Amino acid sequence: MSTPAPPPAGAPAPAPAAPGPLRRSGRALSTRSVVLLCAVLLMLVVFAIGQLIRMPYVIFSPGPAQDTLGSSDGKPVVQIDGTRTYPTDGSLDFTTVSLYGGPDHPVSFWRWVRAKFDENSVIQPEEDVFGDKTGQEIQQESAAEMTGSQQAAEVVGVRATGAKVGEQVYIGSIGEGSPATGKLRAGDRLLQINGTDTPTLASVHAVMDKVTAGQPVRVTFSRDGKQSTVSVGTTRGEDGRALMGIVLAPRYTFPYTVKVNAGDVGGPSAGLMFSLAIYDKLTPGALTGGKEFAGTGTIDVDGSVGPIGGIQQKMVGARDSGVDYFLAPAANCGEVRGNVPDGLSVYKVSTFDDARSVVQKVAAGQTSGLPTC
C-alpha cells in the first residue's frame, strides 16, 4: 500500500478541513437548548408571580358528596348507641361546596383565572362574603353552625320515630345594649313569658310571635335554683318581630345516644340529610329503597327546612357523584330553575316530613306529581 507523498519543501501547508455537518448541528442544538431553558425559567417565574398575587375574591366550586349512611374517617357518619338500629341501603348524601378564599386562604391569580373559565364556579368579592371577619371568627362561626345543625338533626330524626326528646330552654348569651341587659344572664333557664309556660324553643317563639315590638314582656326564669320574674323591653327585628336581645340555647335529653360525625365540614346545610339518615337507621326497612339520593338544607328543631348557599354547585357535585335524585329547599327554587344538571331529578321540600315523603315515594317508583322547582 502506498502512502501519500509529503508536500515539497517550502510548499504552503494544506488548509484545514471545513467544519462538517455534525459540528454545525452541535452548535444549533446548543442554541436551542439555551432558548428552551430560558423559556422554561421565564414560565416558572411567571407562574410563581401568579401564585403570589392575591386576588380579593372568593370562589365557590362543586365539592364532594358524603353519604350520611356511610362512614367518614373510619367512623359512621351517624352513630346510634343504646337502642336498636336497622340495616340501610342506597345513599343519602349531603353535598358540599369547595370554597377558596378568605383572610387565611387567599385566592391566587391562577386559581382566579381557572375559575373565570369554569362555568360551574362562582366568583364573589371577598368583602361581600366575609366582611371584616378574621379567619378565626369565620372558622368558629362555621363550626358553631355545624354543631347546631347536628343537634337539630338529632332532635328531628329521633322525634320523627315517635320517641320523646326532653327539652329545656336556657339563655345562651345577651346582646350588648339589648333590653335584656342587666335583667337576664347567660345560663338563666326560661320558665314563662307573659304567664305562658315555655318548656321548648317552639313555645318561646309562639309566645313572642304574639308580642308587638316595643311592648315589654314578663319573663319568669330560674337562676341558681331561685325563681324570679322581671319585665323586659323589646325592640323590632328585621323581620318585624319583637326581640328581647337574647340568644336561646336549648338543652335536650335523648332516650339513647345519637352522634353525628361530619368530618372536616362546616356550616349548617347538611342538617336535612343528617335527620333523614338518623330516621332511616332507627326505623325498619331502607328508606331509600336502595336508590341514591343527595340533598341540602338547614333543619330547625320544628322540622322546617331552610335555604342554603351554593345550591348550583351542590347539584353539580351530586350529579358528578352519580346520584339521580336531589332534595332542594323550596326557598332555593329561584336558583335551581334553569340550572339543573342533565340527568338529575330535583324535588323541592319545605319540611322534614316533605323530604321523607319524597324519598319514600321515589323509592316506591311513585314520582308522578312530586313537587319540583
Side-chain angles (χ1 to χ4, degrees), residues 104-136:
D104 295 338
H105 305 282
V107 170
S108 70
F109 173 78
W110 294 120
R111 186 175 290 281
W112 175 79
V113 169
R114 290 199 299 271
K116 290 286 285 186
F117 291 94
D118 181 6
E119 63 179 3
N120 294 320
S121 293
V122 173
I123 304 174
Q124 294 184 13
E126 183 179 301
E127 185 177 358
D128 291 352
V129 178
F130 296 120
D132 58 357
K133 296 177 183 176
T134 66
Q136 184 178 9

Side-chain angles (χ1 to χ4, degrees), residues 51-277:
Q51 288 293 96
L52 293 174
I53 295 176
R54 170 176 175 164
M55 304 299 290
Y57 297 99
V58 174
I59 299 171
F60 299 90
S61 300
Q66 173 69 54
D67 183 13
T68 58
L69 299 176
S71 300
S72 175
D73 297 329
K75 300 178 181 178
V77 175
V78 171
Q79 185 172 346
I80 302 173
D81 297 306
T83 190
R84 181 180 180 182
T85 58
Y86 299 87
T88 61
D89 198 1
S91 67
L92 290 167
D93 295 356
F94 72 83
T95 47
T96 63
V97 171
S98 293
L99 186 149
Y100 305 94
D104 295 338
H105 305 282
V107 170
S108 70
F109 173 78
W110 294 120
R111 186 175 290 281
W112 175 79
V113 169
R114 290 199 299 271
K116 290 286 285 186
F117 291 94
D118 181 6
E119 63 179 3
N120 294 320
S121 293
V122 173
I123 304 174
Q124 294 184 13
E126 183 179 301
E127 185 177 358
D128 291 352
V129 178
F130 296 120
D132 58 357
K133 296 177 183 176
T134 66
Q136 184 178 9
E137 289 173 336
I138 294 168
Q139 185 176 12
Q140 290 174 343
E141 183 178 289
S142 179
E145 288 176 337
M146 172 56 80
T147 299
S149 173
Q150 293 172 345
Q151 186 179 67
E154 291 162 6
V155 173
V156 172
V158 171
R159 284 179 174 170
T161 68
K164 292 184 178 181
V165 177
E167 183 175 354
Q168 295 178 337
V169 182
Y170 288 80
I171 296 177
S173 61
I174 306 289
E176 185 176 353
S178 70
T181 301
K183 297 185 176 182
L184 299 173
R185 296 179 188 172
D188 289 347
R189 179 186 170 190
L190 287 183
L191 302 176
Q192 291 183 340
I193 297 177
N194 285 344
T196 301
D197 291 342
T198 53
T200 66
L201 198 61
S203 63
V204 173
H205 292 159
V207 174
M208 292 302 296
D209 285 344
K210 298 177 182 178
V211 177
T212 301
Q215 292 182 343
V217 293
R218 300 187 317 278
V219 179
T220 301
F221 62 94
S222 175
R223 179 189 299 165
D224 298 329
K226 297 180 180 180
Q227 184 172 308
S228 304
T229 300
V230 295
S231 178
V232 180
T234 63
T235 58
R236 182 182 179 86
E238 292 182 359
D239 57 2
R241 294 181 177 180
L243 301 176
M244 290 184 281
I246 62 177
V247 176
L248 301 179
R251 301 177 188 178
Y252 300 97
T253 305
F254 290 87
Y256 35 78
T257 302
V258 181
K259 184 177 181 181
V260 175
N261 304 299
D264 188 21
V265 179
S269 64
L272 171 63
M273 304 311 291
F274 288 150
S275 63
L276 288 170

